[in-house]
Amino acid sequence: QSQVAESGGGSVQAGGSLRLSCVVSEAMFPDLSSKRVAWFRQAPGKEREGVACINSADGLLRYADSVKGRFTISQDSSKNTVYLQMNSLKPDDTAMYYCATLWFGGEWNDPPSVRSWGQGTQVTVSS
């Protein structure tokens, strides 16, 4: 049984910050230190897109160009939790944000690479 649970969304003004949290629990893959975990987002009328990814095995971080320098992905293995710190938020960042665990081998920002999805948390940025 897998559980991926996001929290931390909300409404902020442009330029503000939010930190999203994702607690990961996968019975067949219990060790967060051997996972790839990614954040995706989906705005109304748009396709779901990859935002950031952390590969726990080698520490490699990946970011979408649109969030580089503003968002930071990190993890606390002792809490089975992955974070997305979002700074300098823009109205274009408004979306439902999803946390997901990934299969190894696929592209990190490709939804078919996802093993388990969370339910999502809404982020709304006003101008």
Side-chain angles (χ1 to χ4, degrees):
Q1 185 175 357
S2 299
Q3 182 175 8
V4 180
E6 308 94 336
S7 62
S11 297
V12 296
Q13 290 190 327
S17 298
L18 284 173
R19 188 177 79 158
L20 306 183
S21 299
C22 173
V23 178
V24 178
S25 175
E26 293 184 303
M28 293 188 66
F29 307 94
D31 189 0
L32 185 62
S33 66
S34 63
K35 295 184 190 295
R36 287 198 306 170
V37 180
W39 287 93
F40 290 77
R41 67 185 181 186
Q42 188 167 21
K46 295 187 177 180
E47 293 187 353
R48 194 168 295 190
E49 62 174 353
V51 174
C53 177
I54 182 167
N55 184 334
S56 300
D58 59 13
L60 185 64
L61 308 179
R62 297 284 187 92
Y63 295 96
D65 288 342
S66 58
V67 306
K68 282 180 181 177
R70 301 188 297 121
F71 290 11
T72 303
I73 189 169
S74 62
Q75 69 175 37
D76 184 340
S77 296
S78 68
K79 298 180 180 179
N80 281 343
T81 301
V82 174
Y83 303 98
L84 185 68
Q85 178 66 45
M86 305 185 296
N87 298 328
S88 301
L89 283 162
K90 305 174 181 179
D92 284 349
D93 295 317
T94 295
M96 185 71 78
Y97 283 71
Y98 298 90
C99 182
T101 59
L102 309 179
W103 297 106
F104 282 95
E107 292 295 325
W108 72 269
N109 55 358
D110 194 359
S113 296
V114 170
R115 183 166 68 223
S116 298
W117 288 102
Q119 294 299 307
T121 185
Q122 179 68 37
V123 171
T124 302
V125 184
S126 58
S127 58

